[in-house]
Amino acid sequence: MPEQGNMLQVAVVFLLAAVITVPLAKRLQLGAVLGYLLAGVVIGPSLLGLIGNPQSVAHVSELGVVLLLFIIGLELSPKRLWVMRKSVFGVGLAQVLLTGLVIGCVALLGFGQPLNSAVVLGLGLALSSTAFGLQSLAERKELNAPHGRLAFAILLFQDIAAIPLIALVPLLAGGSQGEGGDALNHGLRVLGSIAVVVVGGRYLLRPVFRIVARTGLPEVSTATALLVVIGTAWLMDLAGVSMALGAFLAGLLLADSEYRHELESQIEPFKGLLLGLFFISVGMGANIGLLFQAPAQVLGLTLLLVLIKLPLLIFIGRLGGGLDRRSALRLGLVLAAGGEFAFVVFKIGRDQGLFDAGLYDLLVLTITLSMAVTPLLLLLGRHLLKARPLPAREIPAEYSEIESDAPRVVIAGMGRMGQIIARILRAQKVNFVALDTAVESVEFSRSFGHVPVFYGDPLRPEILQAAKVEQAEYFVIATDDPDINIRTAELVSRLYPHIKIIARARNRQHVHRLVDVGAVAVRETYYSSLEMSRRTLMGLGLSQSQADARIRRFKLHDEQLLQAQHKVYDDAAKVMQSAQEARAELARLFDADREQEEAEKAH
């Protein structure tokens, strides 16, 4: 392909590679990121050579990381960042320094690298991939999990630390004496650009967005959003600052803006596409030929990198982040790979003479392979955690030692439903005990005062005995797992036949199975659906009394249908027939009510 190339042809190659490999990787449970990396390897110069010059798209692909950091900034606020300061500047700093020290010592003592090269190697490989880590957490919906929040804090500090590290590389390479003035000028440019972004974001952008919003043209709104992000990144790039960090700063300044959600919705589609392009460009840049020439060396270094970073991250997560073993392991698996900023650091190191071209290619391939291996490690880790479950947390004694004074009610499950039930019982001064198997739920409930919530599995008879279930009048099952609810109802009804059981049901089939074991079943969305229907009918013109009458009619009819279907609920054909007959009957009843109301109006 010519160097200038046909842009349409290049676009088709990228999109086709992504459309083929990403769904395949997702189907194999390897994650979208690995699919993009594989697509880049396939179309890059190492294999098919469909894109001859990977560097031609590298700069454009960095916009994916820029947009990602901008959206992350939007989702934060200065107040929230201040709350996270301990995780960002405490745990993040500890991770970079400790990991950099260990890897630097290995490079210095184990591989005979000079001291200045070892420092750059250690700090560069201590960085993890922001785009890769956050994308992997988002795919698994773990960004709000304890390890996800700590991973975000560490990655944020790494992005900040990349700036002085990039500035440090020429100094370690032994720059000339005249570079002191250049360093001063560079520092002034950085401070100036940050000041422009801060002042502009605070005083200029809101009036601009207000004017654009008044036009009512969505395409102008999209162009404005892209202008803010790309313009900030360009300004920071001119000043020699990380484009991604500049975009994060812009997003942070707009986090409290009334236009935050509009900006996020406009940027999100571009972010996903360009982030995919970034991972494709990483795959294209890998020198796969080196893997075949020296497989033991490449694979050995990749394994060594993961084996050094993984235990250090677990240690930092446990000691500095307060994570349990399960969450600390997940944190380590997400961040054990190298990062995209290492490519920049090592490229400057090569240009400054710290590394030769062969070592640079080896480092780039090692980082790329570590990224590619991470989805496999996450998949393996998930299976291992399922096969050999670890305690969800180190359970404090006061959580597991159940103390109760003859509870009248025992609640299993302190999610959304369980919390409301507990609040009402507490306000009514009814003695109760609540059980939950998630330490986070126990901590959250206890944070509101002396709520009698304890860590315990309601499927274990000894836990039920410790909760003094035999003295209770009601056992309320409110967990969000239908199978656990049914098994708990069966166990409680067998061990304590005198107790009344009220259980949360997902649907009509679960209602029937709970009724079979003697529980009163309450459908989790039933009453909220009735209230939404009542308000909709009133909005459509019915009076409040008419809407109330329709809802009462439906409830009575549905309860009768549920009782009738309970006799045949294991026969799908009979259930379907009864549902069809009931639908027609309900319509007739509503028609009769309507005719009666019209007759009463006529009189």
Side-chain angles (χ1 to χ4, degrees):
M1 184 179 293
E3 187 175 341
Q4 297 301 319
N6 184 325
M7 291 304 295
L8 285 177
Q9 186 177 347
V10 172
V12 168
V13 169
F14 275 115
L15 293 172
L16 185 62
V19 167
I20 292 174
T21 58
V22 174
L24 180 62
K26 290 280 284 183
R27 188 173 183 83
L28 296 174
Q29 296 185 330
L30 299 177
V33 174
L34 185 56
Y36 285 122
L37 287 173
L38 290 174
V41 170
V42 170
I43 66 176
S46 297
L47 288 183
L48 298 182
L50 298 179
I51 306 293
N53 182 15
Q55 297 303 319
S56 61
V57 295
H59 210 63
V60 177
S61 70
E62 288 176 16
L63 286 176
V65 183
V66 167
L67 296 178
L68 174 67
L69 266 293
F70 178 75
I71 287 181
I72 290 170
L74 278 180
E75 292 174 351
L76 282 174
S77 66
K79 291 180 182 177
R80 187 178 169 195
L81 187 61
W82 178 251
V83 170
M84 294 175 61
R85 65 189 184 281
K86 191 176 295 184
S87 297
V88 175
F89 298 103
V91 181
L93 176 63
Q95 185 274 328
V96 170
L97 291 181
L98 181 60
T99 309
L101 177 64
V102 173
I103 296 178
C105 287
V106 170
L108 180 67
L109 303 176
F111 292 90
Q113 290 292 319
L115 179 61
N116 52 0
S117 299
V119 171
V120 175
L121 280 169
L123 293 175
L125 291 174
L127 304 179
S128 304
S129 172
T130 300
F132 188 90
L134 294 180
Q135 184 79 357
S136 299
L137 289 168
E139 280 183 13
R140 291 164 175 79
K141 299 180 180 178
E142 294 175 351
L143 275 170
N144 289 319
H147 69 281
R149 291 193 295 268
L150 188 61
F152 170 72
I154 292 173
L155 289 168
L156 181 55
F157 179 82
Q158 289 180 357
D159 291 338
I160 296 171
I163 299 170
L165 177 57
I166 290 170
L168 182 67
V169 173
L171 299 178
L172 289 173
S176 63
Q177 297 295 324
E179 288 183 353
D182 293 338
L184 179 62
N185 290 333
H186 175 69
L188 291 174
R189 284 202 309 272
V190 169
L191 291 175
S193 62
I194 291 176
V196 169
V197 171
V198 170
V199 173
R202 183 64 65 186
Y203 300 107
L204 181 63
L205 290 182
R206 290 191 182 189
V208 169
F209 285 126
R210 194 178 301 118
I211 294 169
V212 170
R214 285 174 181 166
T215 66
L217 299 173
E219 62 273 18
V220 179
S221 181
T222 302
T224 307
L226 289 172
L227 175 63
V228 169
V229 184
I230 297 173
T232 305
W234 172 72
L235 178 65
M236 290 297 188
D237 193 39
L238 285 180
V241 183
S242 160
M243 292 193 299
L245 186 65
F248 171 77
L249 185 60
L252 191 67
L253 292 169
L254 292 168
D256 293 326
S257 166
E258 59 271 30
Y259 303 102
R260 177 172 72 89
H261 297 295
E262 174 69 16
L263 278 167
E264 190 171 348
S265 65
Q266 299 286 0
I267 293 295
E268 187 67 35
F270 297 96
K271 186 264 295 183
L273 197 59
L274 288 171
L275 201 56
L277 180 61
F278 169 77
F279 289 120
I280 290 177
S281 71
V282 170
M284 288 168 53
N287 184 2
I288 300 299
L290 191 60
L291 178 61
F292 295 106
Q293 294 169 14
Q297 189 178 17
V298 173
L299 295 176
L301 285 176
T302 304
L303 185 62
L304 181 63
L305 175 64
V306 172
L307 289 180
I308 290 175
K309 292 184 73 173
L310 182 59
L312 289 175
L313 283 161
I314 293 174
F315 171 74
I316 290 167
R318 294 275 285 165
L319 187 65
L323 299 179
D324 59 72
R325 283 183 289 166
R326 183 189 296 268
S327 296
L329 176 59
R330 286 173 173 162
L331 173 76
L333 292 174
V334 169
L335 300 183
E340 56 268 4
F341 284 119
F343 296 136
V344 180
V345 171
F346 294 154
K347 184 175 183 296
I348 297 172
R350 182 197 63 183
D351 296 341
Q352 295 288 332
L354 282 174
F355 316 125
D356 58 31
L359 179 57
Y360 172 74
D361 286 345
L362 188 60
L363 290 170
V364 169
L365 185 57
T366 297
I367 295 169
T368 304
L369 283 180
S370 70
M371 289 182 180
V373 166
T374 300
L376 301 175
L377 291 176
L378 288 170
L379 193 62
L380 179 62
R382 189 168 61 185
H383 286 302
L384 287 176
L385 289 173
K386 282 184 178 179
R388 297 169 57 188
L390 297 168
R393 284 280 294 270
E394 295 288 343
I395 311 299
E398 66 269 22
Y399 289 6
S400 54
E401 293 176 2
I402 301 175
E403 298 176 0
S404 60
D405 296 323
R408 297 184 64 188
V409 180
V410 177
I411 305 171
M414 281 298 284
R416 292 167 298 168
M417 293 183 72
Q419 289 171 17
I420 292 173
I421 296 165
R423 286 169 59 193
I424 294 172
L425 292 178
R426 196 180 185 196
Q428 189 65 23
K429 295 182 173 58
V430 174
N431 286 340
F432 71 91
V433 168
L435 304 171
D436 203 296
T437 54
V439 180
E440 291 79 10
S441 297
V442 177
E443 287 179 344
F444 180 76
S445 299
R446 281 175 169 248
S447 66
F448 290 97
H450 300 291
V451 183
V453 182
F454 300 93
Y455 179 87
D457 186 351
L459 288 172
R460 292 170 56 191
E462 64 271 23
I463 295 293
L464 299 179
Q465 185 177 0
K468 298 181 181 177
V469 173
E470 72 278 359
Q471 300 181 33
E473 300 171 40
Y474 280 90
F475 195 101
V476 179
I477 306 173
T479 72
D480 61 357
D481 190 318
D483 292 329
I484 289 178
N485 290 354
I486 292 167
R487 289 162 55 200
T488 303
E490 289 173 345
L491 178 65
V492 173
S493 129
R494 187 176 75 251
L495 296 178
Y496 308 101
H498 69 280
I499 200 168
K500 301 178 183 69
I501 302 172
I502 301 176
R504 173 179 176 178
R506 176 72 54 85
N507 53 39
R508 299 174 82 89
Q509 283 297 315
H510 293 133
V511 170
H512 297 315
R513 293 178 63 187
L514 288 166
V515 169
D516 282 344
V517 299
V520 175
V522 178
R523 282 171 279 174
E524 56 189 24
T525 57
Y526 182 64
Y527 292 99
S528 55
S529 300
L530 292 179
E531 177 61 17
M532 292 173 72
S533 301
R534 187 183 72 83
R535 296 192 181 202
T536 302
L537 292 175
M538 291 173 61
L540 292 173
L542 271 67
S543 67
Q544 183 172 341
S545 60
Q546 289 174 326
D548 290 343
R550 297 294 189 279
I551 297 302
R552 283 196 301 271
R553 171 72 75 185
F554 176 84
K555 282 179 63 179
L556 178 62
H557 178 267
D558 191 63
E559 288 166 5
Q560 293 171 346
L561 174 63
L562 201 58
Q563 290 176 6
Q565 287 182 335
H566 183 67
K567 301 173 183 176
V568 295
Y569 75 86
D570 54 350
D571 188 329
K574 290 183 179 179
V575 170
M576 183 66 68
Q577 181 182 353
S578 66
Q580 292 173 348
E581 293 171 354
R583 194 179 301 119
E585 177 63 20
L586 183 63
R588 285 195 295 271
L589 291 171
F590 273 21
D591 287 340
D593 288 344
R594 194 181 304 110
E595 291 171 1
Q596 183 177 352
E597 290 165 357
E598 291 173 354
E600 289 174 354
K601 282 183 181 179
H603 290 296

